[in-house]
Amino acid sequence: MAEALMKYDEAIANFDPVLGLEVHVELGTNTKMFCGCSTVFGAEPNTQVCPVCLGLPGALPALNRIGVESAIRIGLALNCEIATWCRFARKNYFYPDMPKNFQTSQYDEPIAFEGYLDVDIDTDEGPKTFRVPIERAHMEEDTGKNLHMGGATGRIHGADYSLVDYNRAGIPLIEIVTKPVEGTGKYAPEVAKAYVSALREILRGLGVSDVKMEQGSLRCDVNLSLRETPESKLGTRSETKNVNSLRSVERAVRYEVMRHAARLTAGERIVQETRHWHEDTGISTSGRSKEDAEDYRYFPEPDLMPIAPSREWVEELRANLPENPAVRRTRLTAAWNISDLEMQNLMNAGVLELVEAAVSAGMNPDAARKWYTGELARVANERGVEVEELGVTHVELSRIEALISEGALNDKLARQVLDGLIAGEGDVDSIVAGRGLAVVSDDGPLIEAIDAALAADPAVVETIKSGKLAAAGSVVGAVMKATRGQADAARVRELLFERLGVSE
Ligand code: ZN
Ligand code: MN
C-alpha cells in the first residue's frame, strides 16, 4: 500500500531532517570471530560450522585477534577514542538464523567511540564539507541466513518453507553508528550517500573488508526523523533496514523525508519502526515496531575475557594506518597533474591502487592511466571480473610501453601482446617473439607493399599528386592490412610520399 508523500522541496521548506546511519561491515578475516571456521563466501550451506558457531552445549568461544585489531584500526581511521577496557555483551532474542538465541555483541562498552568522518558534497554554493559525528564502532558477530523457498519474492510471506544456512553465523562484524547528523538541511540524502561512500573507501583502504554492498559485506540502515525547526527537539525516527547500494541510501533518505512530512502535516504521528526498502519500486514498507535496547536484556558475556588493548599496541596500529583516502586523492591529483574528473574515472574503474603501484615502479602516469582505464578496464568489464584479476602486472605494461617508444610495437600490436598476457602465453618478449608481433622496420618489404597497393589502385596516384594528401590514408590502410598491422604507419606514409615525389 502506497503511503502519502509530500514533495521533497515542500517537505524541506517545512521541516528540518535529522539523519542517523548504522553500517554493519563484515570483516575479511580468514576465520570467524569466536571459532576457527572458514569465512569464504559462497560455500555449500552449513559446511562452515562447528559446535561454537552452532551454539552447541558446552562449546566455548575464543576471540579472533585480527578481528579486534581490525576494529581498533577502523576506530582510529574514524578519529575515535579506543577503549582501555571493554567487554562483549549478550544481546538476547530468538531468531532461527541465530543458533545461540543471543548475539555476542558490545553494549555500553564499545571498543571505539567519539569519532567523526568529514564528507564532501556539491552544494548550490560549491563544494562543502560536512562533519558526520560518530558515536561508536563496536564488535559483534553476524547471524546465519534464512532462505524462504517456494514464494515469488524470496520473502517469508508466500513462501512454502524456509531453510537456514549457518555458514555466516559468527563472521566478525563491526557496527559503526553515527550520532544524530544535524544541519544538513536539504542535502540530507547527499550527505548520507557521501558518508557511506567515504566510509567504504576508508574500509577498503584499511584492507579490513571487501566492502561489497551487493554481497552484503557492507549493509546500511538509514534512520531519519523530522522536526519543525533546527531548535526543536528530535522527532520520532524510522529505521530503514539493509539499504544495499549507494544510490538506495540517497533514495531511502529522500523517500522518508517525503513520507514523514506528509504524515506530520496531516496531524498523524510517526511510528517508531523498522522499514523494508524495496529497490525495484523505490519505496519502503512498514516492518516491525522497533524494540528499545532494554528489550534485549543485554548482560556482559561471561564466556569471554574483557579486552584491554595496551596503549603501545594502539599507538603502533595508529602509526601504521594508511593515508586518509581523501588526502591521498588530492596528493595524487596534483602529482600526476590530472583533473578531478580524471581522478574520478580512476576511482570509478577501481584502478587507483594499480596505477599508483605502476607509477611508483617508474611507469609514466599518463601511460599507466591509459592502460588501466582503457584496454584493461574494457577487457575486465567484458569478462565481468576486476582489473587485477586479469593478472597483468605493471612490470609487463612497462615493458610494452618501452617497446612502443622504441618503435618496436605500435598500439595495435600492443593490444595483441596484452591479449597474449591475459591468455597466459608468457611474458611480453616471448609473446612478441611467439606471435611474431614486431613492427616491420625494414623499408624493403614496406616499399613492396606500397607498390602493390598503388598498382591495385592506379587512380590514387594522380589524386595524391594533385595535392589531395588525405587520399594517402587508403594506401597506408592497404599496406597495414598487407603487413597484418605490423607496419609503422607513420613510416609507410613517409615512404609513400617519397615514392610519389610529394612533400607534406
Ligand atoms: Zn565455528
Ligand atoms: Mn548490529
Side-chain angles (χ1 to χ4, degrees):
M1 183 196 63
E3 293 185 58
L5 301 177
M6 180 184 277
K7 282 207 174 76
Y8 185 76
D9 291 343
E10 192 184 346
I12 288 298
N14 289 295
F15 296 98
D16 180 48
V18 178
L19 280 173
L21 294 152
E22 291 174 32
V23 170
H24 283 87
V25 56
E26 225 176 61
L27 296 180
T29 52
N30 293 325
T31 56
K32 293 186 179 180
M33 195 61 171
F34 305 113
C35 63
C37 289
S38 166
T39 57
V40 173
F41 182 81
E44 281 290 295
N46 298 309
T47 55
Q48 296 173 164
V49 291
C50 74
V52 173
C53 54
L54 288 176
L56 300 188
L60 287 172
L63 186 56
N64 184 330
R65 182 186 164 93
I66 302 295
V68 178
E69 183 180 290
S70 301
I72 296 173
R73 294 176 69 229
I74 291 169
L76 292 170
L78 297 174
N79 307 292
C80 288
E81 292 180 44
I82 304 302
T84 50
W85 193 92
C86 66
R87 283 182 296 192
F88 282 97
R90 291 189 181 184
K91 182 182 185 182
N92 296 281
Y93 65 104
F94 170 77
Y95 208 65
D97 63 10
M98 203 177 57
K100 297 184 295 189
N101 279 353
F102 61 85
Q103 181 188 32
T104 307
S105 181
Q106 293 196 285
Y107 179 44
D108 49 354
E109 297 162 335
I111 191 153
F113 51 93
E114 289 292 331
Y116 63 84
L117 179 57
D118 287 334
V119 301
D120 299 321
I121 62 159
D122 284 326
T123 72
D124 298 341
E125 296 85 45
K128 197 174 165 197
T129 301
F130 282 90
R131 175 156 294 186
V132 175
I134 289 168
E135 183 172 297
R136 56 192 280 150
H138 72 246
M139 299 178 283
E140 58 183 34
E141 60 180 335
D142 212 343
T143 59
K145 205 170 185 175
N146 291 327
L147 303 159
H148 305 298
M149 313 301 287
T153 59
R155 291 181 182 268
I156 194 165
H157 303 285
D160 296 329
Y161 60 97
S162 297
L163 298 169
V164 195
D165 175 7
Y166 290 112
N167 284 351
R168 200 177 66 180
I171 289 186
L173 290 181
I174 305 297
E175 179 174 340
I176 301 158
V177 184
T178 68
K179 294 183 183 182
V181 184
E182 304 178 85
T184 60
K186 69 172 176 177
Y187 299 111
E190 288 86 356
V191 170
K193 180 184 175 186
Y195 169 75
V196 178
S197 171
L199 185 58
R200 199 170 63 155
E201 200 184 355
I202 283 183
L203 295 167
R204 191 184 286 129
L206 290 168
V208 293
S209 170
D210 62 15
V211 290
K212 288 184 177 162
M213 292 184 88
E214 67 286 0
Q215 281 184 7
S217 48
L218 189 137
R219 312 197 277 272
C220 182
D221 304 336
V222 173
N223 289 274
L224 185 103
S225 63
L226 295 183
R227 55 187 175 186
E228 283 186 2
T229 70
E231 290 72 39
S232 321
K233 71 177 178 47
L234 293 177
T236 304
R237 69 193 161 92
S238 59
E239 179 180 353
T240 308
K241 304 290 277 182
N242 290 334
V243 185
N244 287 336
S245 72
L246 288 177
R247 180 166 166 266
S248 296
V249 169
E250 187 172 1
R251 288 167 86 204
V253 173
R254 187 173 296 270
Y255 179 84
E256 283 297 277
V257 167
M258 298 192 290
R259 191 182 67 84
H260 282 222
R263 283 193 78 96
L264 293 169
T265 306
E268 292 170 58
R269 287 178 47 227
I270 300 296
V271 186
Q272 184 174 332
E273 62 180 356
T274 61
R275 300 186 63 85
H276 298 297
W277 176 251
H278 302 274
E279 185 72 50
D280 46 354
T281 49
I283 68 167
S284 65
T285 54
S286 179
R288 56 191 154 89
S289 66
K290 179 69 177 170
E291 304 78 10
D292 281 317
E294 45 275 25
D295 297 328
Y296 289 111
R297 294 295 184 271
Y298 281 97
F299 64 85
E301 166 60 58
D303 286 343
L304 286 163
M305 295 284 282
I307 304 152
S310 76
R311 293 302 97 177
E312 293 74 38
W313 188 30
V314 172
E315 289 317 310
E316 186 191 320
L317 294 176
R318 191 196 306 277
N320 289 300
L321 284 181
E323 186 179 17
N324 174 286
V327 172
R328 171 162 167 258
R329 271 202 312 275
T330 309
R331 177 174 61 78
L332 294 176
T333 302
W336 298 343
N337 193 22
I338 61 176
S339 68
D340 290 344
L341 186 67
E342 286 168 325
M343 175 52 76
Q344 197 56 50
N345 289 340
L346 290 171
M347 303 285 301
N348 294 345
V351 296
L352 182 59
E353 279 75 22
L354 293 168
V355 171
E356 193 183 12
V359 173
S360 57
M363 196 166 176
N364 171 290
D366 290 336
R369 286 196 303 115
K370 179 192 79 181
W371 282 104
Y372 284 109
T373 58
E375 202 54 19
L376 284 164
R378 190 185 62 74
V379 176
N381 190 30
E382 251 171 43
R383 302 183 176 202
V385 298
E386 300 293 327
V387 170
E388 51 264 61
E389 292 175 66
L390 294 175
V392 178
T393 69
H394 58 72
V395 177
E396 290 156 338
L397 293 177
S398 295
R399 180 64 188 145
I400 294 177
E401 277 296 310
L403 292 173
I404 292 174
S405 62
E406 284 167 21
L409 285 178
N410 57 26
D411 284 349
K412 188 169 173 213
L413 295 173
R415 279 200 293 279
Q416 294 183 45
V417 176
L418 195 68
D419 287 344
L421 286 170
I422 294 168
E425 292 171 20
D427 65 15
V428 172
D429 290 284
S430 54
I431 292 166
V432 168
R435 291 194 175 199
L437 294 178
V439 167
V440 178
S441 50
D442 184 359
D443 290 348
L446 295 183
I447 290 169
E448 263 175 50
I450 289 169
D451 288 344
L454 293 177
D457 183 11
V460 82
V461 174
E462 286 315 311
T463 313
I464 295 172
K465 280 187 169 167
S466 75
K468 290 185 181 139
L469 299 190
S474 70
V475 182
V476 175
V479 172
M480 294 304 285
K481 198 169 167 203
T483 56
R484 290 183 299 121
Q486 287 174 237
D488 174 353
R491 181 66 187 144
V492 173
R493 204 176 151 86
E494 253 172 47
L495 289 170
L496 171 65
F497 290 144
E498 252 175 59
R499 204 123 186 91
L500 298 180
V502 175
S503 56
E504 274 192 85

